Each structure stands twice: as structure tokens, then as C-alpha cells.
Amino acid sequence: EGGAASLSVYSITGQLVWRRYLGYLSPGEYQETWNGVDGHGRRAGTGAYLVRVVEGNRLLATRVLLMR
């Protein structure tokens, strides 16, 4: 199934760092790159972050490590 999708990056403390609305996605594989900046264009600090992808009623979450 396809659906409206968004990609969000959160700090380990739960603060929203960056979000992108991906629009309607058909079934398939996709790739998106977070360039390590927050929603205001400032460089995010080195550390662990939580990445969430929401598509329709599905949620995928994983931890990533930003190293500079």
C-alpha cells in the first residue's frame, strides 16, 4: 500500500530536530538523506538520534549516530 509519508529526526531526549514531509509514496524502496542540520539550518551536535518514518498507519523507527 502507498500513503502519505514523513521522516522525522529526534534527539535522544525526544526533541524534534528535523522533519520532512515526503508526500504520497507508492509501494517500493526509497532513500532520503538527512544532512545533519536542524530545522533552522544549524548543525546538529554529534550524538545519537532517533529517526522515525510514518506512512499511513505504519511507523518505522531506528537509532542513528551522527559523527562529525
Side-chain angles (χ1 to χ4, degrees):
E1 293 181 31
S6 65
L7 174 69
S8 304
V9 177
Y10 293 88
S11 69
I12 290 300
T13 60
Q15 179 182 5
L16 177 64
V17 175
W18 180 84
R19 176 176 287 155
R20 175 169 290 162
Y21 177 67
L22 302 174
Y24 183 89
L25 299 180
S26 299
E29 293 185 25
Y30 294 88
Q31 181 176 326
E32 185 70 30
T33 302
W34 174 48
N35 60 2
V37 298
D38 66 14
H40 301 287
R42 298 179 297 232
R43 288 175 55 158
T46 297
Y49 292 86
L50 177 65
V51 176
R52 290 177 25 143
V53 178
V54 177
E55 183 272 315
N57 61 355
R58 289 181 277 197
L59 168 68
L60 170 70
T62 189
R63 288 187 310 180
V64 296
L65 184 60
L66 177 62
M67 298 174 59
R68 298 213 182 261

